[in-house]
Amino acid sequence: MSASAGPNDTAKMSSTEFIPRALIDETTRIKVSSTLDKTVGKKNLTDRSAETCWTSTQGLPQSIQVAFESPVIPTAISLTFQGGFAGIRCAIHVQAGKSSPAVWNLWTNIYPEDVNRRQTFELPPLPSSQPSISQLKLVFEESSDLFGRITIYDLAIDGLRAKVE
C-alpha cells in the first residue's frame, strides 16, 4: 500500500507556491501618518468591511507604512478610496531590512483615479539589489480633496513570501 501526499504535505514544492497571495495578515504592522478620529482608524484599512474606513487629517503628504513579519515580494496593491478623498498621486517606497534609522528607497509611483471602486495596480519587479522587502510605505503626495484628506475603505497587498535562507 502506498501513501499519497495530503493537502497539507509541505515536503514537495507545489506549483501554487508561486501564485501571489495576500501578504497582509495578523502579524503585519501598519502605521499611518494621521487619523481624523478613532472611528476612522488604521484598523479599518484591512478589516474587509465596506462600512469602515481610514480617514487622514488634512494636509499632505499622508502615508501608510506596512511592516511584514518576514521578507516579501509584492506584486500588486489594491485600494478602495471614497470618491472625492482619493490619493491621486502616490509614491511607493520600500525598505529591505529592519535597519535603524530606516532607509527608504523609492520603488515606483501609482496614480489612482478619484472613484469609489477597488483599483488594483500591478507592481514592477523589485530591483536585483533588493530581491525582497520587509516594509512598504505608500506616500500620498496629492489628493482629490482640496484639504488633502485621504479616505480608504480597503487596502490589500498581494505577492510572494520570500524564502528565508
Side-chain angles (χ1 to χ4, degrees), residues 7-164:
N8 296 324
D9 186 1
T10 57
K12 295 181 181 179
M13 187 185 321
S14 149
S15 62
T16 59
E17 185 175 331
F18 299 105
I19 296 175
R21 302 184 186 282
L23 295 177
I24 296 176
D25 61 22
E26 65 280 348
T27 66
T28 307
R29 294 180 318 279
I30 296 178
K31 294 180 184 177
V32 293
S33 54
S34 68
T35 298
L36 187 62
D37 65 50
K38 290 181 183 180
T39 64
V40 290
K42 66 183 179 181
K43 68 184 179 304
N44 299 332
L45 284 167
T46 58
D47 67 1
R48 298 288 185 191
S49 171
E51 305 298 318
T52 63
C53 63
W54 165 69
T55 299
S56 72
T57 57
Q58 64 183 18
L60 291 171
Q62 296 292 337
S63 64
I64 300 170
Q65 183 176 327
V66 182
F68 302 98
E69 183 69 22
S70 60
V72 298
I73 304 165
T75 57
I77 291 181
S78 298
L79 298 158
T80 306
F81 291 97
Q82 177 174 325
F85 297 90
I88 55 176
R89 187 178 71 203
C90 176
I92 301 176
H93 299 264
V94 293
Q95 183 180 5
K98 296 182 179 179
S99 60
S100 187
V103 177
W104 293 98
N105 298 309
L106 177 63
W107 180 20
T108 192
N109 291 285
I110 59 174
Y111 302 92
E113 296 176 49
D114 184 13
V115 294
N116 292 337
R117 63 177 161 73
R118 183 180 181 108
Q119 300 176 65
T120 300
F121 301 90
E122 299 298 320
L123 298 170
L126 288 165
S128 58
S129 63
Q130 191 172 3
S132 65
I133 64 164
S134 61
Q135 297 189 67
L136 179 142
K137 187 186 323 184
L138 301 164
V139 179
F140 299 101
E141 300 170 333
E142 189 176 346
S143 171
S144 59
D145 175 55
L146 180 64
F147 299 103
R149 294 169 291 192
I150 306 288
T151 297
I152 299 177
Y153 281 86
D154 188 54
L155 166 67
I157 302 172
D158 293 333
L160 306 169
R161 300 251 177 228
K163 292 190 186 283
V164 179

